[in-house]
Each structure stands twice: as C-alpha cells, then as structure tokens.
C-alpha cells in the first residue's frame, strides 16, 4: 500500500479526471503512463485504480487491465432508475435536512450543484449506505450532466426545483425527483449523443 501522502492526491487527481471525462468510455488506463503523467511511482496509481474499481468509476477485466466503463443508453437508463428509486426511498416522513443552516453548494457548475442537492436529499434519510450509493451515481454521471442544460428542456428550472425542495415539503421533493428523472429518461439518446460529441465523436 502506498503512503497516504502520495496515495491520496494521486487518487483525487485520477478520480477528478474520470469525473470530468478526460478519457472516453472503453479507454485503457495504463498505470505506467499515468504514473509518468502524475510524476509518481506505479504503486499509488495502481492502488488508486483499484480503489476506483470499487467505486464504479473504473472497470477491471482479468487479462485486459483497467478501463473507463462505457456509458451506453441501457446503462444510463439503469443508473437513472436506481438513482430515482433511492431518492424516493430517502424522502421519508422523518426526512430532515442534514445541516442547520441549509445546503452549501460547492461551485456554480450545474453538475456540482445537482450532485450536492441529491447528496443532501439522500443524507436526510439518515441511511449512510443509501447516501453513499447516490453519491457514487453522481460521480459516475458527472460529465454526462454537463450535457443536461443543453439537452433537457427545463434543466435549470428542475435544478432549482430540486434545491427548493430541500426546504419544502415531502411532496415538493418527490415531484422534483420525478420531474428530473422523467425528463432524463425521455432524452437518453440525445444525452448519449451529446456526450459523444463532447468527446470528439469517440466512445461514451
């Protein structure tokens, strides 16, 4: 295992690069090349890649090594279904906003704000396992969500509705979650096409 002072920044840098879509789906992640790019040894890179396999951001196939998991239309629909079900489950009668002062949204980017809102909604259930899965899905879909303001007819309005629902009623939160996922499901082909275009026409 790599020393923490080397492993942690390597892991964070690699994870952010994956979330920002630096490599297309299916791209091979070679530990030696990444180590050279990051200026570290191969050990922290391999350790980071293995950790990211557990988080669903990297695939590992015996004999083939590490790859970026492709995002197909079916996989996107599956992720949306799971995310919707988890957020509806989190929205119980006993739901409480996790912070006394309300949510703190990190950055102004649409994807970051949406991830923060979903994380708060999930954490309000008090179920840490559920909240962790919602966060993992947001990480997996981070780059794709940069397409949503362009593709979804009411993306920014829905985002504001989701954020407002954190201070509203259980019904408000439910309607916002349903509205968001319904629009995404209706635009899956367009979202996948947008993702391919952002990556220069390559694999998603």
């Amino acid at each position: 295992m790599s020393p923490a002072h080397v492993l942690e920044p390597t892991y964070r840098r690699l994870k952010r690069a994956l979330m920002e879509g630096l490599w297309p789906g299916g791209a091979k992640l070679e530990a030696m090349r990444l180590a050279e790019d990051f200026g570290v040894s191969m050990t922290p890179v391999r350790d980071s890649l293995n950790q990211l396999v557990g988080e669903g951001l990297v695939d590992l196939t015996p004999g083939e090594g590490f790859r970026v998991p492709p995002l197909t239309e079916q996989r996107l629909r599956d992720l949306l279904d799971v995310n919707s079900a988890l957020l509806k489950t989190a929205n119980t009668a006993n739901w409480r906003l996790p912070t006394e002062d309300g949510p703190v949204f990190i950055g102004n980017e649409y994807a970051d704000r949406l991830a923060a809102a979903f994380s708060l909604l999930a954490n309000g259930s008090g179920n840490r396992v559920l909240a962790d899965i919602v966060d993992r899905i947001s990480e997996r879909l981070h780059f794709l969500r940069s397409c949503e303001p362009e593709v979804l007819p009411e993306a920014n309005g829905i985002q504001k509705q989701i954020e407002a629902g954190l201070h509203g009623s259980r019904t408000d939160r439910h309607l916002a979650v349903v509205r968001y996922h319904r629009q995404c499901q209706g635009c899956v082909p367009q979202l996948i096409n947008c993702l391919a275009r952002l990556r220069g026409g390559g694999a998603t």
Side-chain angles (χ1 to χ4, degrees), residues 49-77:
L49 287 168
N50 279 309
Q51 187 171 343
L52 291 164
V53 168
E55 296 176 13
L57 288 174
V58 173
D59 282 344
L60 175 59
T61 303
E64 295 185 10
F66 299 100
R67 291 187 182 274
V68 179
L71 187 60
T72 63
E73 287 191 18
Q74 187 56 55
R75 183 174 290 194
L76 176 54
R77 291 190 188 280

Side-chain angles (χ1 to χ4, degrees), residues 11-22 112 142:
Y11 162 79
R12 287 200 306 267
R13 183 176 175 184
L14 185 53
K15 181 174 183 174
R16 194 66 194 181
L18 288 161
M19 289 173 60
E20 292 177 351
L22 183 61
D112 289 328
H142 185 274

Side-chain angles (χ1 to χ4, degrees), residues 1-14:
M1 178 65 71
S2 308
H5 72 279
V6 179
L7 176 59
E8 187 61 26
T10 302
Y11 162 79
R12 287 200 306 267
R13 183 176 175 184
L14 185 53

Side-chain angles (χ1 to χ4, degrees), residues 154-155 157-159 161 174-184:
E154 302 170 320
I158 295 174
Q159 178 195 6
Q161 182 183 357
H174 176 81
L175 291 175
V177 167
V178 169
R179 185 183 176 200
Y180 169 78
H181 289 89
R182 184 175 294 158
Q183 281 218 357
C184 286

Side-chain angles (χ1 to χ4, degrees), residues 17 33 40 42 65 67 74 86 90 98 104-105 109 120 125-126 132 145 148 156 167 173 189 194 196-197 199-200:
R33 176 172 292 182
V40 297
M42 287 178 59
R67 291 187 182 274
Q74 187 56 55
L86 290 172
V104 177
F105 297 105
E109 294 298 324
L120 285 169
S125 69
D132 285 345
R145 284 177 177 164
E148 290 179 9
N156 291 316
H167 296 284
R173 292 187 293 276
C194 176
R197 178 171 53 77
R199 284 173 165 163

